[in-house]
Amino acid sequence: MVKIIKFREKYLKNIIELFLEGNVIAFPTETVYGLGAIATNKEAIDNIYRIKNRPTNNPLIAHFSDLTLIEKDTILNENAIKLADVFWPGPLTIILRKSLQCRISNNALSGLDTIAVRIPSHNIALSILNELKLPIVAPSANPSSYLSPCNAQHVKKSLGKKIKYIIDGGSTIIGLESTILDLTSDKPALLRYGSITQEQIEKVIGKIEVKEKEHKIIAPGMLDKHYSPICPLRIGYDNPRNNEGLLAFGNDVPSESFAVVKNISEKGDLYEAARNFFSALHELEDYNVSSIATMLVPNVGIGKAINDKLKRASYL
Ligand code: TXA
Ligand code: MG
């Protein structure tokens, strides 16, 4: 039986021990819940891949408490330092070359000589990382290609039979995975949309490119099917189907009859929509609808990340 640990400062020492013993533990970050293991523990990392049913060619993100630790495992460049100054701790993941003395286990990096790093801003994640003084590698705490988790119950629903511990820190504040930026070549490239936008990044380091689908797949968040509920999902909402749920946005919601409607932001606020996005899809999935119809959101700022996830979830 999975144990859900409601986080308290006094449990911190025990939580650190559980990590040091090699457990794989779900924990909250500001984006989504992660499935974490100490980044130097090969067996624990193998277990993450098994538990998630994740292809071993899909590398993990390493989470750090501060830049001085990142500096040991990576080769920091000027752009990374500028971005770190503005966005860390926070929901930006940066791909860097790994350093010669990098301690992160190779199986977390799928044998690559690059490494995805970030400093999360969630107080529980940061407390653990500060106390541990070692990086934690963590993908999102969901089975590969299914809905991401934004609270402890989401993790329990899909992985509760496969893991021993979930640290419960309530609902995540952002609700979408971190933005991923590749800084390993002279041309910075956005690999995954998130709450930190292209425009925000460009204000700090100048023009960046966005890697579109037809490019070689670098981050499997760029694979076609991803972030999917267990039932089919379609973009659009004409002609409601039998027992169909609707993921809605804004106050101009179609009046056709759906089995259930979840509105991610009636007032049309994209940040609220991001926060409610995966939870609403989890709820629709739990409602046992046969399919989900969806409204797209305005394709600006964080809205790009929401629409991108909807498109990937709708791939069948
Ligand atoms: O917000 C987040 O980023 C969450 C929380 C837990 O931090 N984590 C997360 O991890 O979304 P995951 O594994 O679901 O997504 C990580 C993405 C994958 O698409 C992976 O392919 C990509 O990062 N990635 C990791 N290392 C990479 C590398 N060296 N080069 C290119 N892509 C990489
Ligand atoms: Mg994921």
Side-chain angles (χ1 to χ4, degrees), residues 79-109:
N79 280 342
I81 292 168
K82 281 188 197 161
L83 290 165
D85 202 38
V86 179
F87 297 115
W88 279 346
L92 176 68
T93 294
I94 300 181
I95 318 273
L96 295 167
R97 301 227 160 264
K98 66 178 196 177
S99 65
L100 276 178
Q101 70 272 25
C102 178
R103 300 155 303 166
I104 316 284
S105 187
N106 247 325
N107 59 335
L109 309 180

Side-chain angles (χ1 to χ4, degrees), residues 27-35 52 54 57-63 91 93 95-96 108-109 112-118 120 138-142 148 176-180 182 184 191-192 218-222 226-227:
F27 67 101
T29 81
E30 73 279 24
T31 57
V32 298
Y33 273 64
L35 189 63
K52 269 186 70 90
R54 180 178 177 106
N57 65 356
N58 188 357
L60 307 180
I61 297 175
H63 299 69
T93 294
I95 318 273
L96 295 167
L109 309 180
L112 297 174
D113 61 359
T114 60
I115 170 170
V117 296
R118 83 178 189 98
S140 49
N142 55 300
S148 300
L176 297 179
E177 286 87 346
S178 60
T179 304
I180 302 185
D182 185 351
T184 58
L191 302 187
R192 181 172 74 183
I218 302 174
M222 300 166 83
H226 224 82
Y227 314 112

Side-chain angles (χ1 to χ4, degrees), residues 5 24 47 91 95 97 139 178 227 229 233 299 313-314:
I5 305 168
V24 168
N47 282 334
I95 318 273
R97 301 227 160 264
S178 60
Y227 314 112
L233 179 149
N299 207 37
S314 71

